[in-house]
Amino acid sequence: MMSLPPGLDPDLLRAFVLIAEGGSVTRAAERVGRTQSAVSMQIRRLEEAVGQTLLIRTPGGMVPTPRGLWLLERARAVLALNDEILATLRAPPMTGTVRLGTPDDYALNWLPGILARFAEAHPSVELDVTCLNSGGLAERMRAGQLDLSLLTEGHQPHGMMGKQIWRGPLRWVGSPSHALHRRDPLPLALALDESGCPWRRAALSALHDAGHRARVTYNSATQTGCFTVALAGLALTVSTPTALPEGLTWMGEAEGLPPLPLMGIVLLRSPAMAGDRAAETLAMYIEEGFRQAESGRLGLSPVLVGA
């Protein structure tokens, strides 16, 4: 019977990551509470295990080799999973209810995997999910009716700071079967103006600056509604990178349309949830889920669809 090769010790990976990030064996030793010689020995053991030189000394400190850089990204993921397993199994069962707000398109494109992993690890926590546009969610956050909410950048209630967890390009979307980009004025399907949608402002401002006349012929509270109108060949709309419905395509310079700015998505925490273990844990899952999706480790593309 063939024996399996030994696995990599997480402690060795942690020492490697700390040195690679801090550029110093001394700082890494201080972080883990060990001597410099002990940490140096851990790196030697790791390099012997993988048969590669992972770190080299430069005038600016210790830096990863090309193979070390390859390992660094994967070591971070392994350690995050290792820490999650230990924290989940050692902690007492988590209970309670977390009230999460999200635009419906974020819920569809980002959250299924994240919420499934959270529910698997913490089955006794109830999730109360509210789907509204960012303007409506901001009002509910202000009223204390939500613990956490995903919002499009620019919708944060006054005095409530959100953490940006993704940023990417806004792009034009339309039906390739209709030459709507040649219309004057351009027909657009955008979010309702009453929500103060940053996407709407960005699209209209870009067209104005480029000398294009435009008319918002359809208003929708959701991105799904805007896509529906675009599929019918009645208007152009905007979105950030996502899997477009069949019948829609990305548009831009080739169609004479001006470039659009970057847009962000933020995770907003209610001040009242401070110390709420279940809400804080879900926030951690959401942040990590977005990071992993952006890097492609879960097979997802960076998605931000909704205003």
Side-chain angles (χ1 to χ4, degrees):
M1 181 176 178
M2 184 177 65
S3 62
L4 295 175
L8 293 177
D9 185 341
D11 288 341
L12 304 186
L13 291 177
R14 197 178 304 278
F16 164 70
V17 170
L18 290 174
I19 295 173
E21 292 179 342
S24 166
V25 175
T26 301
R27 284 194 287 271
E30 291 172 350
R31 291 278 300 277
V32 297
R34 306 192 71 172
T35 64
Q36 295 182 44
S37 60
V39 172
S40 296
M41 178 61 74
Q42 286 182 308
I43 297 304
R44 284 196 293 273
R45 287 173 54 198
L46 179 61
E47 291 181 332
E48 289 171 0
V50 299
Q52 300 282 340
T53 299
L54 302 173
L55 293 163
I56 56 174
R57 190 176 300 279
T58 71
M62 300 291 287
V63 298
T65 63
R67 297 299 285 172
L69 285 173
W70 183 90
L71 176 62
L72 180 59
E73 178 182 353
R74 290 154 182 81
R76 287 173 176 146
V78 168
L79 291 172
L81 182 58
N82 178 78
D83 294 347
E84 179 188 338
I85 290 171
L86 289 177
T88 299
L89 295 180
R90 288 175 175 173
M94 195 178 295
T95 60
T97 299
V98 182
R99 301 169 299 171
L100 172 66
T102 174
D104 59 346
D105 5 24
Y106 295 178
L108 177 63
N109 289 284
W110 283 101
L111 291 181
I114 294 173
L115 297 186
R117 290 191 297 278
F118 178 83
E120 184 178 16
H122 307 288
S124 297
V125 176
E126 283 191 36
L127 295 178
D128 182 351
V129 181
T130 298
C131 292
L132 289 172
N133 61 25
S134 290
L137 292 170
E139 288 297 323
R140 295 209 175 190
M141 286 295 295
R142 188 181 293 112
Q145 297 171 351
L146 296 171
D147 301 308
L148 298 167
S149 187
L150 296 172
L151 299 174
T152 299
E153 180 183 47
H155 280 287
Q156 301 97 302
H158 180 70
M160 296 182 71
M161 297 300 294
K163 180 177 181 179
Q164 185 178 101
I165 56 176
W166 191 86
R167 190 166 181 80
L170 193 63
R171 298 178 62 187
W172 296 101
V173 176
S175 166
S177 304
H178 303 80
L180 295 181
H181 57 282
R182 297 176 183 167
R183 297 270 187 92
D184 184 21
L186 283 170
L188 301 177
L190 298 172
L192 294 168
D193 190 38
E194 63 195 38
S195 68
C197 177
W199 292 15
R200 181 185 181 109
R201 292 196 302 268
L204 294 176
S205 177
L207 291 170
H208 177 271
D209 293 346
H212 290 285
R213 294 198 305 158
R215 184 165 59 95
V216 181
T217 52
Y218 296 90
N219 295 275
S220 174
T222 68
Q223 187 67 15
T224 302
C226 292
F227 279 166
T228 299
V229 172
L231 276 168
L234 301 176
L236 301 179
T237 189
V238 295
S239 176
T240 51
T242 185
L244 292 176
E246 185 177 354
L248 291 180
T249 190
W250 300 110
M251 296 183 171
E253 185 178 357
E255 290 77 25
L257 298 170
L260 294 167
L262 299 178
M263 287 287 163
I265 181 170
V266 298
L267 177 62
L268 199 64
R269 291 169 164 84
S270 168
M273 66 160 272
D276 186 315
R277 184 163 156 246
E280 288 288 1
T281 302
L282 178 58
M284 180 189 71
Y285 270 74
I286 292 172
E287 291 178 24
E288 181 61 24
F290 271 70
R291 281 194 295 269
Q292 292 183 349
E294 188 169 3
S295 69
R297 283 194 291 270
L298 297 182
L300 303 173
S301 59
V303 181
L304 176 57
V305 252

mmCIF file of all heavy atoms in Angstrom, residues 155-176:
data_model
loop_
_atom_site.group_PDB
_atom_site.id
_atom_site.type_symbol
_atom_site.label_atom_id
_atom_site.label_comp_id
_atom_site.label_asym_id
_atom_site.label_seq_id
_atom_site.Cartn_x
_atom_site.Cartn_y
_atom_site.Cartn_z
ATOM 1 N N HIS A 155 -24.366 55.543 -0.813
ATOM 2 C CA HIS A 155 -25.678 55.495 -0.165
ATOM 3 C C HIS A 155 -25.603 55.455 1.359
ATOM 4 O O HIS A 155 -26.640 55.396 2.012
ATOM 5 C CB HIS A 155 -26.457 54.264 -0.645
ATOM 6 C CG HIS A 155 -27.111 54.437 -1.983
ATOM 7 N ND1 HIS A 155 -28.225 55.224 -2.190
ATOM 8 C CD2 HIS A 155 -26.791 53.925 -3.190
ATOM 9 C CE1 HIS A 155 -28.570 55.186 -3.458
ATOM 10 N NE2 HIS A 155 -27.720 54.399 -4.096
ATOM 11 N N GLN A 156 -24.379 55.464 1.928
ATOM 12 C CA GLN A 156 -24.283 55.334 3.373
ATOM 13 C C GLN A 156 -25.022 56.466 4.075
ATOM 14 O O GLN A 156 -24.861 57.627 3.711
ATOM 15 C CB GLN A 156 -22.820 55.354 3.821
ATOM 16 C CG GLN A 156 -21.975 54.245 3.217
ATOM 17 C CD GLN A 156 -21.206 54.704 2.007
ATOM 18 O OE1 GLN A 156 -21.794 55.168 1.043
ATOM 19 N NE2 GLN A 156 -19.889 54.586 2.061
ATOM 20 N N PRO A 157 -25.838 56.140 5.090
ATOM 21 C CA PRO A 157 -26.497 57.199 5.867
ATOM 22 C C PRO A 157 -25.460 58.096 6.528
ATOM 23 O O PRO A 157 -24.362 57.659 6.868
ATOM 24 C CB PRO A 157 -27.301 56.414 6.909
ATOM 25 C CG PRO A 157 -27.457 55.044 6.331
ATOM 26 C CD PRO A 157 -26.216 54.796 5.533
ATOM 27 N N HIS A 158 -25.805 59.337 6.716
ATOM 28 C CA HIS A 158 -24.890 60.304 7.341
ATOM 29 C C HIS A 158 -24.474 59.813 8.718
ATOM 30 O O HIS A 158 -25.303 59.413 9.546
ATOM 31 C CB HIS A 158 -25.576 61.668 7.467
ATOM 32 C CG HIS A 158 -24.697 62.711 8.093
ATOM 33 N ND1 HIS A 158 -23.598 63.236 7.459
ATOM 34 C CD2 HIS A 158 -24.756 63.304 9.320
ATOM 35 C CE1 HIS A 158 -23.012 64.112 8.255
ATOM 36 N NE2 HIS A 158 -23.694 64.175 9.382
ATOM 37 N N GLY A 159 -23.174 59.819 8.955
ATOM 38 C CA GLY A 159 -22.652 59.425 10.253
ATOM 39 C C GLY A 159 -22.427 57.936 10.415
ATOM 40 O O GLY A 159 -21.933 57.501 11.459
ATOM 41 N N MET A 160 -22.772 57.132 9.401
ATOM 42 C CA MET A 160 -22.551 55.693 9.466
ATOM 43 C C MET A 160 -21.526 55.320 8.397
ATOM 44 O O MET A 160 -21.755 55.516 7.209
ATOM 45 C CB MET A 160 -23.855 54.921 9.239
ATOM 46 C CG MET A 160 -24.895 55.170 10.309
ATOM 47 S SD MET A 160 -26.430 54.218 10.067
ATOM 48 C CE MET A 160 -25.859 52.576 10.449
ATOM 49 N N MET A 161 -20.394 54.821 8.834
ATOM 50 C CA MET A 161 -19.314 54.483 7.917
ATOM 51 C C MET A 161 -19.414 53.025 7.481
ATOM 52 O O MET A 161 -19.608 52.138 8.298
ATOM 53 C CB MET A 161 -17.953 54.724 8.573
ATOM 54 C CG MET A 161 -17.695 56.181 8.932
ATOM 55 S SD MET A 161 -17.732 57.256 7.470
ATOM 56 C CE MET A 161 -16.294 56.627 6.589
ATOM 57 N N GLY A 162 -19.298 52.807 6.191
ATOM 58 C CA GLY A 162 -19.296 51.449 5.675
ATOM 59 C C GLY A 162 -17.885 51.056 5.255
ATOM 60 O O GLY A 162 -17.057 51.909 4.935
ATOM 61 N N LYS A 163 -17.601 49.763 5.257
ATOM 62 C CA LYS A 163 -16.311 49.257 4.817
ATOM 63 C C LYS A 163 -16.422 48.816 3.373
ATOM 64 O O LYS A 163 -17.246 47.967 3.027
ATOM 65 C CB LYS A 163 -15.864 48.086 5.688
ATOM 66 C CG LYS A 163 -14.512 47.519 5.273
ATOM 67 C CD LYS A 163 -14.077 46.413 6.200
ATOM 68 C CE LYS A 163 -12.709 45.864 5.801
ATOM 69 N NZ LYS A 163 -12.264 44.785 6.721
ATOM 70 N N GLN A 164 -15.594 49.411 2.507
ATOM 71 C CA GLN A 164 -15.632 49.018 1.101
ATOM 72 C C GLN A 164 -15.050 47.615 0.961
ATOM 73 O O GLN A 164 -13.927 47.350 1.363
ATOM 74 C CB GLN A 164 -14.834 50.007 0.251
ATOM 75 C CG GLN A 164 -14.935 49.710 -1.236
ATOM 76 C CD GLN A 164 -14.188 50.720 -2.082
ATOM 77 O OE1 GLN A 164 -13.087 50.469 -2.540
ATOM 78 N NE2 GLN A 164 -14.787 51.888 -2.280
ATOM 79 N N ILE A 165 -15.830 46.707 0.370
ATOM 80 C CA ILE A 165 -15.365 45.328 0.228
ATOM 81 C C ILE A 165 -15.189 44.927 -1.231
ATOM 82 O O ILE A 165 -14.744 43.813 -1.505
ATOM 83 C CB ILE A 165 -16.318 44.341 0.944
ATOM 84 C CG1 ILE A 165 -17.747 44.483 0.422
ATOM 85 C CG2 ILE A 165 -16.270 44.563 2.443
ATOM 86 C CD1 ILE A 165 -18.708 43.463 1.030
ATOM 87 N N TRP A 166 -15.528 45.814 -2.156
ATOM 88 C CA TRP A 166 -15.262 45.555 -3.572
ATOM 89 C C TRP A 166 -15.319 46.868 -4.334
ATOM 90 O O TRP A 166 -16.055 47.774 -3.972
ATOM 91 C CB TRP A 166 -16.288 44.572 -4.153
ATOM 92 C CG TRP A 166 -15.906 44.082 -5.520
ATOM 93 C CD1 TRP A 166 -15.105 43.031 -5.816
ATOM 94 C CD2 TRP A 166 -16.298 44.651 -6.776
ATOM 95 N NE1 TRP A 166 -14.973 42.900 -7.184
ATOM 96 C CE2 TRP A 166 -15.695 43.882 -7.791
ATOM 97 C CE3 TRP A 166 -17.091 45.739 -7.145
ATOM 98 C CZ2 TRP A 166 -15.862 44.148 -9.142
ATOM 99 C CZ3 TRP A 166 -17.257 46.007 -8.496
ATOM 100 C CH2 TRP A 166 -16.648 45.208 -9.479
ATOM 101 N N ARG A 167 -14.510 46.946 -5.386
ATOM 102 C CA ARG A 167 -14.533 48.117 -6.264
ATOM 103 C C ARG A 167 -14.205 47.655 -7.669
ATOM 104 O O ARG A 167 -13.267 46.883 -7.882
ATOM 105 C CB ARG A 167 -13.533 49.173 -5.799
ATOM 106 C CG ARG A 167 -13.684 50.508 -6.535
ATOM 107 C CD ARG A 167 -12.911 51.598 -5.800
ATOM 108 N NE ARG A 167 -13.055 52.883 -6.445
ATOM 109 C CZ ARG A 167 -14.111 53.672 -6.303
ATOM 110 N NH1 ARG A 167 -15.100 53.295 -5.514
ATOM 111 N NH2 ARG A 167 -14.186 54.831 -6.926
ATOM 112 N N GLY A 168 -14.964 48.122 -8.632
ATOM 113 C CA GLY A 168 -14.745 47.695 -10.009
ATOM 114 C C GLY A 168 -15.392 48.644 -10.996
ATOM 115 O O GLY A 168 -16.055 49.618 -10.622
ATOM 116 N N PRO A 169 -15.221 48.348 -12.292
ATOM 117 C CA PRO A 169 -15.672 49.273 -13.329
ATOM 118 C C PRO A 169 -17.170 49.189 -13.603
ATOM 119 O O PRO A 169 -17.774 48.124 -13.541
ATOM 120 C CB PRO A 169 -14.874 48.812 -14.558
ATOM 121 C CG PRO A 169 -14.686 47.345 -14.328
ATOM 122 C CD PRO A 169 -14.502 47.187 -12.846
ATOM 123 N N LEU A 170 -17.749 50.321 -13.896
ATOM 124 C CA LEU A 170 -19.125 50.411 -14.384
ATOM 125 C C LEU A 170 -19.072 50.382 -15.908
ATOM 126 O O LEU A 170 -18.202 51.030 -16.513
ATOM 127 C CB LEU A 170 -19.755 51.718 -13.893
ATOM 128 C CG LEU A 170 -21.278 51.878 -14.020
ATOM 129 C CD1 LEU A 170 -21.996 50.841 -13.178
ATOM 130 C CD2 LEU A 170 -21.687 53.287 -13.591
ATOM 131 N N ARG A 171 -19.981 49.632 -16.549
ATOM 132 C CA ARG A 171 -19.927 49.484 -18.004
ATOM 133 C C ARG A 171 -21.324 49.573 -18.611
ATOM 134 O O ARG A 171 -22.328 49.343 -17.943
ATOM 135 C CB ARG A 171 -19.284 48.138 -18.380
ATOM 136 C CG ARG A 171 -17.850 47.992 -17.910
ATOM 137 C CD ARG A 171 -17.270 46.628 -18.248
ATOM 138 N NE ARG A 171 -17.226 46.416 -19.691
ATOM 139 C CZ ARG A 171 -16.892 45.251 -20.258
ATOM 140 N NH1 ARG A 171 -16.575 44.219 -19.494
ATOM 141 N NH2 ARG A 171 -16.879 45.127 -21.572
ATOM 142 N N TRP A 172 -21.351 49.901 -19.894
ATOM 143 C CA TRP A 172 -22.609 49.992 -20.628
ATOM 144 C C TRP A 172 -23.088 48.604 -21.016
ATOM 145 O O TRP A 172 -22.297 47.720 -21.341
ATOM 146 C CB TRP A 172 -22.435 50.837 -21.882
ATOM 147 C CG TRP A 172 -22.079 52.261 -21.601
ATOM 148 C CD1 TRP A 172 -20.852 52.831 -21.678
ATOM 149 C CD2 TRP A 172 -22.979 53.302 -21.193
ATOM 150 N NE1 TRP A 172 -20.908 54.152 -21.326
ATOM 151 C CE2 TRP A 172 -22.196 54.482 -21.032
ATOM 152 C CE3 TRP A 172 -24.352 53.367 -20.942
ATOM 153 C CZ2 TRP A 172 -22.758 55.692 -20.639
ATOM 154 C CZ3 TRP A 172 -24.903 54.571 -20.552
ATOM 155 C CH2 TRP A 172 -24.107 55.715 -20.401
ATOM 156 N N VAL A 173 -24.407 48.414 -21.006
ATOM 157 C CA VAL A 173 -25.016 47.132 -21.363
ATOM 158 C C VAL A 173 -26.183 47.408 -22.320
ATOM 159 O O VAL A 173 -26.951 48.350 -22.131
ATOM 160 C CB VAL A 173 -25.551 46.395 -20.113
ATOM 161 C CG1 VAL A 173 -26.272 45.103 -20.506
ATOM 162 C CG2 VAL A 173 -24.415 46.097 -19.145
ATOM 163 N N GLY A 174 -26.288 46.570 -23.347
ATOM 164 C CA GLY A 174 -27.406 46.718 -24.266
ATOM 165 C C GLY A 174 -27.618 45.464 -25.092
ATOM 166 O O GLY A 174 -26.863 44.496 -24.996
ATOM 167 N N SER A 175 -28.651 45.467 -25.910
ATOM 168 C CA SER A 175 -28.952 44.355 -26.797
ATOM 169 C C SER A 175 -28.156 44.501 -28.093
ATOM 170 O O SER A 175 -28.203 45.556 -28.733
ATOM 171 C CB SER A 175 -30.449 44.320 -27.125
ATOM 172 O OG SER A 175 -30.701 43.458 -28.213
ATOM 173 N N PRO A 176 -27.413 43.458 -28.499
ATOM 174 C CA PRO A 176 -26.657 43.551 -29.753
ATOM 175 C C PRO A 176 -27.548 43.538 -30.981
ATOM 176 O O PRO A 176 -27.091 43.835 -32.088
ATOM 177 C CB PRO A 176 -25.759 42.299 -29.705
ATOM 178 C CG PRO A 176 -26.514 41.326 -28.852
ATOM 179 C CD PRO A 176 -27.235 42.155 -27.828
#
